[in-house]
Amino acid sequence: EAAVTQSPRSKVAVTGGKVTLSCHQTNNHDYMYWYRQDTGHGLRLIHYSYVADSTEKGDIPDGYKASRPSQENFSLILELASLSQTAVYFCASSVDRYEQYFGPGTRLTVL
Amino acid sequence: GDSVTQTEGPVTLSEGTSLTVNCSYETKQYPTLFWYVQYPGEGPQLLFKVPKANEKGSNRGFEATYNKEATSFHLQKASVQESDSAVYYCALRGDSGYNKLTFGKGTVLLVSP
């Protein structure tokens, strides 16, 4: 069974602060993704990676950075958190063109 | 770019009634089409996918046919159960690299006993 874990599961941050969301997968998958979920917008791709030490911009990358230090780990970094970044964030992994496996999500609230 | 449009929710049904969630898409590529389901407190999970036009996908009583001419991929179930209450996402993957998915906005389904 595929396994993608995220930490923290919930976080409250202050405007202007730095936030790091972490994702770990034990699937041995090459591809990893970060999405945000908002009511009325569904799931939107922020960043993705197909190999360690390399990341690519998705559809809504502004205000976010990503880091892939190893095949198993993929982080999403908000250098200066803003109110508009309050959302639920999902990490996913996949093997090439096969199914994406999602983690349980991180609920981020920026105050 | 690619886009997916699906039924706006919430869709509220009684157990035993039929379900249709409309999904239409736009792409210049030859897509693979997906339906994902998200239960409360969980991440989305694949319901089924259809890689080829005019073929049908199905799982857990849900089904959808990839209609290339109409650019549609409507989700149907003949008789819903309370346990089907969830958010349903239609998605497409173009034939370019990186396995990038484009999702619709999701449809909330609420089934009452």
PDB file of all heavy atoms in Angstrom, chain B residues 1-25:
ATOM      1  N   GLY B   1      -4.228  26.593 -21.843  1.00  0.00           N
ATOM      2  CA  GLY B   1      -3.912  25.420 -21.047  1.00  0.00           C
ATOM      3  C   GLY B   1      -5.101  24.514 -20.880  1.00  0.00           C
ATOM      4  O   GLY B   1      -6.204  24.777 -21.353  1.00  0.00           O
ATOM      5  N   ASP B   2      -4.875  23.421 -20.181  1.00  0.00           N
ATOM      6  CA  ASP B   2      -5.940  22.447 -19.933  1.00  0.00           C
ATOM      7  C   ASP B   2      -6.934  22.984 -18.908  1.00  0.00           C
ATOM      8  O   ASP B   2      -6.571  23.738 -18.011  1.00  0.00           O
ATOM      9  CB  ASP B   2      -5.346  21.147 -19.403  1.00  0.00           C
ATOM     10  CG  ASP B   2      -4.389  20.492 -20.379  1.00  0.00           C
ATOM     11  OD1 ASP B   2      -4.473  20.792 -21.586  1.00  0.00           O
ATOM     12  OD2 ASP B   2      -3.546  19.690 -19.928  1.00  0.00           O
ATOM     13  N   SER B   3      -8.197  22.552 -19.025  1.00  0.00           N
ATOM     14  CA  SER B   3      -9.201  22.917 -18.023  1.00  0.00           C
ATOM     15  C   SER B   3     -10.234  21.814 -17.894  1.00  0.00           C
ATOM     16  O   SER B   3     -10.472  21.048 -18.826  1.00  0.00           O
ATOM     17  CB  SER B   3      -9.877  24.245 -18.368  1.00  0.00           C
ATOM     18  OG  SER B   3     -10.677  24.114 -19.519  1.00  0.00           O
ATOM     19  N   VAL B   4     -10.828  21.752 -16.699  1.00  0.00           N
ATOM     20  CA  VAL B   4     -11.871  20.770 -16.397  1.00  0.00           C
ATOM     21  C   VAL B   4     -13.002  21.489 -15.689  1.00  0.00           C
ATOM     22  O   VAL B   4     -12.770  22.229 -14.734  1.00  0.00           O
ATOM     23  CB  VAL B   4     -11.328  19.641 -15.494  1.00  0.00           C
ATOM     24  CG1 VAL B   4     -12.451  18.699 -15.092  1.00  0.00           C
ATOM     25  CG2 VAL B   4     -10.208  18.886 -16.197  1.00  0.00           C
ATOM     26  N   THR B   5     -14.228  21.268 -16.150  1.00  0.00           N
ATOM     27  CA  THR B   5     -15.411  21.872 -15.544  1.00  0.00           C
ATOM     28  C   THR B   5     -16.365  20.762 -15.117  1.00  0.00           C
ATOM     29  O   THR B   5     -16.661  19.870 -15.908  1.00  0.00           O
ATOM     30  CB  THR B   5     -16.123  22.790 -16.548  1.00  0.00           C
ATOM     31  OG1 THR B   5     -15.204  23.788 -17.014  1.00  0.00           O
ATOM     32  CG2 THR B   5     -17.306  23.483 -15.879  1.00  0.00           C
ATOM     33  N   GLN B   6     -16.814  20.818 -13.885  1.00  0.00           N
ATOM     34  CA  GLN B   6     -17.717  19.782 -13.404  1.00  0.00           C
ATOM     35  C   GLN B   6     -18.882  20.366 -12.646  1.00  0.00           C
ATOM     36  O   GLN B   6     -18.882  21.562 -12.301  1.00  0.00           O
ATOM     37  CB  GLN B   6     -16.962  18.760 -12.550  1.00  0.00           C
ATOM     38  CG  GLN B   6     -16.291  19.312 -11.318  1.00  0.00           C
ATOM     39  CD  GLN B   6     -15.530  18.220 -10.559  1.00  0.00           C
ATOM     40  OE1 GLN B   6     -14.306  18.116 -10.641  1.00  0.00           O
ATOM     41  NE2 GLN B   6     -16.282  17.413  -9.797  1.00  0.00           N
ATOM     42  N   THR B   7     -19.887  19.552 -12.387  1.00  0.00           N
ATOM     43  CA  THR B   7     -21.107  19.975 -11.707  1.00  0.00           C
ATOM     44  C   THR B   7     -20.769  20.690 -10.409  1.00  0.00           C
ATOM     45  O   THR B   7     -19.966  20.214  -9.613  1.00  0.00           O
ATOM     46  CB  THR B   7     -21.988  18.753 -11.383  1.00  0.00           C
ATOM     47  OG1 THR B   7     -22.328  18.084 -12.590  1.00  0.00           O
ATOM     48  CG2 THR B   7     -23.248  19.179 -10.657  1.00  0.00           C
ATOM     49  N   GLU B   8     -21.406  21.850 -10.230  1.00  0.00           N
ATOM     50  CA  GLU B   8     -21.217  22.534  -8.958  1.00  0.00           C
ATOM     51  C   GLU B   8     -22.098  21.887  -7.910  1.00  0.00           C
ATOM     52  O   GLU B   8     -23.245  21.544  -8.160  1.00  0.00           O
ATOM     53  CB  GLU B   8     -21.601  24.011  -9.104  1.00  0.00           C
ATOM     54  CG  GLU B   8     -20.552  24.833  -9.818  1.00  0.00           C
ATOM     55  CD  GLU B   8     -20.791  26.324  -9.650  1.00  0.00           C
ATOM     56  OE1 GLU B   8     -21.292  26.730  -8.588  1.00  0.00           O
ATOM     57  OE2 GLU B   8     -20.474  27.067 -10.587  1.00  0.00           O
ATOM     58  N   GLY B   9     -21.567  21.734  -6.726  1.00  0.00           N
ATOM     59  CA  GLY B   9     -22.356  21.131  -5.669  1.00  0.00           C
ATOM     60  C   GLY B   9     -22.834  22.154  -4.667  1.00  0.00           C
ATOM     61  O   GLY B   9     -22.744  23.347  -4.904  1.00  0.00           O
ATOM     62  N   PRO B  10     -23.342  21.679  -3.556  1.00  0.00           N
ATOM     63  CA  PRO B  10     -23.452  20.263  -3.237  1.00  0.00           C
ATOM     64  C   PRO B  10     -24.613  19.582  -3.962  1.00  0.00           C
ATOM     65  O   PRO B  10     -25.591  20.232  -4.292  1.00  0.00           O
ATOM     66  CB  PRO B  10     -23.673  20.251  -1.730  1.00  0.00           C
ATOM     67  CG  PRO B  10     -24.327  21.566  -1.441  1.00  0.00           C
ATOM     68  CD  PRO B  10     -23.759  22.545  -2.441  1.00  0.00           C
ATOM     69  N   VAL B  11     -24.421  18.301  -4.209  1.00  0.00           N
ATOM     70  CA  VAL B  11     -25.476  17.461  -4.748  1.00  0.00           C
ATOM     71  C   VAL B  11     -26.026  16.641  -3.583  1.00  0.00           C
ATOM     72  O   VAL B  11     -25.269  15.937  -2.913  1.00  0.00           O
ATOM     73  CB  VAL B  11     -24.944  16.524  -5.849  1.00  0.00           C
ATOM     74  CG1 VAL B  11     -26.019  15.544  -6.280  1.00  0.00           C
ATOM     75  CG2 VAL B  11     -24.432  17.339  -7.038  1.00  0.00           C
ATOM     76  N   THR B  12     -27.314  16.766  -3.327  1.00  0.00           N
ATOM     77  CA  THR B  12     -27.933  16.094  -2.189  1.00  0.00           C
ATOM     78  C   THR B  12     -28.908  15.046  -2.703  1.00  0.00           C
ATOM     79  O   THR B  12     -29.816  15.368  -3.465  1.00  0.00           O
ATOM     80  CB  THR B  12     -28.668  17.102  -1.294  1.00  0.00           C
ATOM     81  OG1 THR B  12     -27.748  18.118  -0.879  1.00  0.00           O
ATOM     82  CG2 THR B  12     -29.236  16.414  -0.068  1.00  0.00           C
ATOM     83  N   LEU B  13     -28.700  13.797  -2.287  1.00  0.00           N
ATOM     84  CA  LEU B  13     -29.524  12.695  -2.752  1.00  0.00           C
ATOM     85  C   LEU B  13     -29.957  11.818  -1.584  1.00  0.00           C
ATOM     86  O   LEU B  13     -29.311  11.823  -0.530  1.00  0.00           O
ATOM     87  CB  LEU B  13     -28.754  11.832  -3.749  1.00  0.00           C
ATOM     88  CG  LEU B  13     -28.309  12.484  -5.065  1.00  0.00           C
ATOM     89  CD1 LEU B  13     -27.431  11.523  -5.852  1.00  0.00           C
ATOM     90  CD2 LEU B  13     -29.504  12.911  -5.890  1.00  0.00           C
ATOM     91  N   SER B  14     -30.986  11.057  -1.793  1.00  0.00           N
ATOM     92  CA  SER B  14     -31.403  10.033  -0.832  1.00  0.00           C
ATOM     93  C   SER B  14     -30.817   8.700  -1.256  1.00  0.00           C
ATOM     94  O   SER B  14     -30.592   8.454  -2.450  1.00  0.00           O
ATOM     95  CB  SER B  14     -32.924   9.937  -0.766  1.00  0.00           C
ATOM     96  OG  SER B  14     -33.492  11.154  -0.350  1.00  0.00           O
ATOM     97  N   GLU B  15     -30.555   7.844  -0.294  1.00  0.00           N
ATOM     98  CA  GLU B  15     -30.039   6.504  -0.599  1.00  0.00           C
ATOM     99  C   GLU B  15     -30.938   5.805  -1.610  1.00  0.00           C
ATOM    100  O   GLU B  15     -32.162   5.882  -1.532  1.00  0.00           O
ATOM    101  CB  GLU B  15     -29.966   5.661   0.675  1.00  0.00           C
ATOM    102  CG  GLU B  15     -28.651   5.785   1.425  1.00  0.00           C
ATOM    103  CD  GLU B  15     -28.503   4.735   2.512  1.00  0.00           C
ATOM    104  OE1 GLU B  15     -29.533   4.356   3.112  1.00  0.00           O
ATOM    105  OE2 GLU B  15     -27.368   4.283   2.745  1.00  0.00           O
ATOM    106  N   GLY B  16     -30.298   5.119  -2.555  1.00  0.00           N
ATOM    107  CA  GLY B  16     -31.048   4.360  -3.540  1.00  0.00           C
ATOM    108  C   GLY B  16     -31.339   5.110  -4.825  1.00  0.00           C
ATOM    109  O   GLY B  16     -31.760   4.500  -5.813  1.00  0.00           O
ATOM    110  N   THR B  17     -31.113   6.408  -4.827  1.00  0.00           N
ATOM    111  CA  THR B  17     -31.346   7.187  -6.049  1.00  0.00           C
ATOM    112  C   THR B  17     -30.096   7.190  -6.909  1.00  0.00           C
ATOM    113  O   THR B  17     -29.007   6.811  -6.474  1.00  0.00           O
ATOM    114  CB  THR B  17     -31.780   8.623  -5.724  1.00  0.00           C
ATOM    115  OG1 THR B  17     -30.764   9.253  -4.934  1.00  0.00           O
ATOM    116  CG2 THR B  17     -33.083   8.627  -4.948  1.00  0.00           C
ATOM    117  N   SER B  18     -30.257   7.647  -8.153  1.00  0.00           N
ATOM    118  CA  SER B  18     -29.151   7.617  -9.098  1.00  0.00           C
ATOM    119  C   SER B  18     -28.377   8.928  -9.075  1.00  0.00           C
ATOM    120  O   SER B  18     -28.901   9.977  -8.705  1.00  0.00           O
ATOM    121  CB  SER B  18     -29.660   7.348 -10.516  1.00  0.00           C
ATOM    122  OG  SER B  18     -30.485   8.406 -10.945  1.00  0.00           O
ATOM    123  N   LEU B  19     -27.114   8.836  -9.487  1.00  0.00           N
ATOM    124  CA  LEU B  19     -26.207   9.983  -9.472  1.00  0.00           C
ATOM    125  C   LEU B  19     -25.622  10.212 -10.850  1.00  0.00           C
ATOM    126  O   LEU B  19     -25.228   9.259 -11.541  1.00  0.00           O
ATOM    127  CB  LEU B  19     -25.051   9.711  -8.505  1.00  0.00           C
ATOM    128  CG  LEU B  19     -23.862  10.680  -8.568  1.00  0.00           C
ATOM    129  CD1 LEU B  19     -24.242  12.033  -7.986  1.00  0.00           C
ATOM    130  CD2 LEU B  19     -22.649  10.093  -7.855  1.00  0.00           C
ATOM    131  N   THR B  20     -25.565  11.471 -11.242  1.00  0.00           N
ATOM    132  CA  THR B  20     -24.774  11.890 -12.397  1.00  0.00           C
ATOM    133  C   THR B  20     -24.033  13.161 -12.020  1.00  0.00           C
ATOM    134  O   THR B  20     -24.654  14.126 -11.568  1.00  0.00           O
ATOM    135  CB  THR B  20     -25.636  12.170 -13.636  1.00  0.00           C
ATOM    136  OG1 THR B  20     -26.307  10.973 -14.041  1.00  0.00           O
ATOM    137  CG2 THR B  20     -24.769  12.651 -14.793  1.00  0.00           C
ATOM    138  N   VAL B  21     -22.727  13.140 -12.168  1.00  0.00           N
ATOM    139  CA  VAL B  21     -21.905  14.331 -11.994  1.00  0.00           C
ATOM    140  C   VAL B  21     -21.274  14.625 -13.351  1.00  0.00           C
ATOM    141  O   VAL B  21     -20.526  13.811 -13.886  1.00  0.00           O
ATOM    142  CB  VAL B  21     -20.812  14.131 -10.929  1.00  0.00           C
ATOM    143  CG1 VAL B  21     -19.954  15.394 -10.818  1.00  0.00           C
ATOM    144  CG2 VAL B  21     -21.427  13.768  -9.590  1.00  0.00           C
ATOM    145  N   ASN B  22     -21.614  15.773 -13.898  1.00  0.00           N
ATOM    146  CA  ASN B  22     -21.106  16.119 -15.222  1.00  0.00           C
ATOM    147  C   ASN B  22     -19.661  16.603 -15.163  1.00  0.00           C
ATOM    148  O   ASN B  22     -19.257  17.289 -14.218  1.00  0.00           O
ATOM    149  CB  ASN B  22     -21.967  17.204 -15.856  1.00  0.00           C
ATOM    150  CG  ASN B  22     -23.349  16.694 -16.216  1.00  0.00           C
ATOM    151  OD1 ASN B  22     -23.531  15.515 -16.513  1.00  0.00           O
ATOM    152  ND2 ASN B  22     -24.325  17.578 -16.191  1.00  0.00           N
ATOM    153  N   CYS B  23     -18.903  16.234 -16.169  1.00  0.00           N
ATOM    154  CA  CYS B  23     -17.521  16.678 -16.301  1.00  0.00           C
ATOM    155  C   CYS B  23     -17.235  16.930 -17.773  1.00  0.00           C
ATOM    156  O   CYS B  23     -17.482  16.055 -18.615  1.00  0.00           O
ATOM    157  CB  CYS B  23     -16.560  15.628 -15.751  1.00  0.00           C
ATOM    158  SG  CYS B  23     -14.814  15.992 -16.071  1.00  0.00           S
ATOM    159  N   SER B  24     -16.750  18.114 -18.088  1.00  0.00           N
ATOM    160  CA  SER B  24     -16.303  18.411 -19.441  1.00  0.00           C
ATOM    161  C   SER B  24     -14.882  18.951 -19.372  1.00  0.00           C
ATOM    162  O   SER B  24     -14.477  19.501 -18.353  1.00  0.00           O
ATOM    163  CB  SER B  24     -17.230  19.418 -20.131  1.00  0.00           C
ATOM    164  OG  SER B  24     -17.266  20.632 -19.415  1.00  0.00           O
ATOM    165  N   TYR B  25     -14.138  18.788 -20.444  1.00  0.00           N
ATOM    166  CA  TYR B  25     -12.737  19.175 -20.402  1.00  0.00           C
ATOM    167  C   TYR B  25     -12.321  19.866 -21.688  1.00  0.00           C
ATOM    168  O   TYR B  25     -12.977  19.729 -22.727  1.00  0.00           O
ATOM    169  CB  TYR B  25     -11.858  17.951 -20.139  1.00  0.00           C
ATOM    170  CG  TYR B  25     -11.906  16.918 -21.232  1.00  0.00           C
ATOM    171  CD1 TYR B  25     -11.018  16.965 -22.306  1.00  0.00           C
ATOM    172  CD2 TYR B  25     -12.847  15.903 -21.195  1.00  0.00           C
ATOM    173  CE1 TYR B  25     -11.077  16.033 -23.313  1.00  0.00           C
ATOM    174  CE2 TYR B  25     -12.907  14.954 -22.206  1.00  0.00           C
ATOM    175  CZ  TYR B  25     -12.026  15.020 -23.269  1.00  0.00           C
ATOM    176  OH  TYR B  25     -12.086  14.092 -24.272  1.00  0.00           O
TER     177      TYR B  25
END
